[in-house]
Amino acid sequence: KQEVTQIPAALSVPEGENLVLNCSFTDSAIYNLQWFRQDPGKGLTSLLLIQSSQREQTSGRLNASLDKSSGRSTLYIAASQPGDSATYLCAEVGAGSYQLTFGKGTKLSVIP
Amino acid sequence: DGGITQSPKYLFRKEGQNVTLSCEQNLNHDAMYWYRQDPGQGLRLIYYSQIVNDFQKGDIAEGYSVSREKKESFPLTVTSAQKNPTAFYLCASNPGVRLNTEAFFGQGTRLTVV
């Protein structure tokens, strides 16, 4: 069974710092990986999708990378802002699968 | 505006009652999904549908039922057989069944058993 792990469960950083969130997965035949943001009591907002043939994707201050050989993805956030405070979830789709398998998320707090 | 609408936002259920959560999308997506989110457990798949009049069980389907009579609608019924229904329920959709594009989520329904 596919498993997705996100460490740490919580992270607190001062405003302006660059930071990296980690996501590891056990499925070597990954199809794609998606990063989401979730604000308290809200649904999920898609941030970036990386196909298995890609190494990274960028959107504004966000950059996500994918390393299938090591089973890892990272989400890099540049120049963090208090508005970035949220829970960040990664989810992978395995080859032959029809569902997203989620990690438990990293709760990010950016301190002004 | 295109998107996924879940209603109601909050729902209270007495023990022994069935309740139905609504999910509507105007994105013309083929695939729709229901997830359950509990603190410390992440999101778990309840049911998914790849096409109208067809749906499949996910990892935790027991105590739940769904229908897909229209492309834009995928309601979830939480039955009295579900022993611990208090949770946050999220509906999602995707253009195609292979999830090769971004999945979109609704704002969720928080169900509480009283």
Side-chain angles (χ1 to χ4, degrees):
Chain A
K1 183 180 177 182
Q2 301 148 332
E3 289 188 9
V4 178
T5 304
Q6 292 185 251
I7 296 174
L11 179 65
S12 183
V13 301
E15 181 178 2
E17 190 163 297
N18 302 327
L19 60 100
V20 174
L21 305 179
N22 297 299
C23 172
S24 61
F25 49 90
T26 58
D27 187 359
S28 60
I30 187 172
Y31 189 63
N32 62 49
L33 188 138
Q34 196 166 355
W35 282 92
F36 295 89
R37 168 186 172 135
Q38 185 175 31
D39 293 294
K42 303 292 186 182
L44 276 63
T45 300
S46 177
L47 297 174
L48 289 163
L49 170 73
I50 311 177
Q51 304 285 1
S52 61
S53 58
Q54 298 172 321
R55 294 298 300 269
E56 64 179 63
Q57 283 285 344
T58 298
S59 176
R61 295 183 293 109
L62 306 179
N63 176 276
S65 67
L66 177 64
D67 184 344
K68 290 190 296 181
S69 62
S70 66
R72 291 187 61 194
S73 176
T74 61
L75 179 67
Y76 175 83
I77 302 177
S80 59
Q81 303 170 358
D84 294 330
S85 297
T87 296
Y88 291 80
L89 296 142
C90 67
E92 65 103 4
V93 178
S97 172
Y98 295 98
Q99 63 169 293
L100 289 158
T101 299
F102 282 86
K104 295 181 181 180
T106 295
K107 184 176 181 179
L108 173 66
S109 298
V110 180
I111 311 302
Chain B
D1 282 329
I4 301 176
T5 302
Q6 290 188 241
S7 62
K9 187 173 181 179
Y10 299 97
L11 187 58
F12 297 89
R13 189 195 93 170
K14 293 182 179 179
E15 289 199 22
Q17 284 184 335
N18 293 353
V19 291
T20 297
L21 284 60
S22 171
C23 178
E24 303 277 335
Q25 55 100 356
N26 60 5
L27 300 168
N28 199 35
H29 287 176
D30 285 320
M32 297 186 74
Y33 309 82
W34 274 106
Y35 286 87
R36 169 178 171 145
Q37 187 176 32
D38 296 279
Q41 291 203 48
L43 277 76
R44 293 179 289 168
L45 182 66
I46 305 172
Y47 269 98
Y48 66 97
S49 170
Q50 301 174 14
I51 197 169
V52 174
N53 293 322
D54 183 66
F55 48 83
Q56 306 294 328
K57 293 182 178 180
D59 299 323
I60 56 165
E62 185 176 352
Y64 299 98
S65 66
V66 294
S67 63
R68 186 84 186 277
E69 297 176 0
K70 298 185 296 183
K71 187 176 186 178
E72 58 270 24
S73 178
F74 191 40
L76 173 73
T77 297
V78 184
T79 75
S80 57
Q82 170 50 235
K83 299 305 180 188
N84 185 22
T86 295
F88 191 51
Y89 291 87
L90 288 159
C91 179
S93 73
N94 189 272
V97 300
R98 288 297 286 123
L99 282 165
N100 56 349
T101 55
E102 291 177 293
F104 292 86
F105 280 77
Q107 288 300 298
T109 293
R110 184 165 299 281
L111 173 63
T112 303
V113 174
V114 297

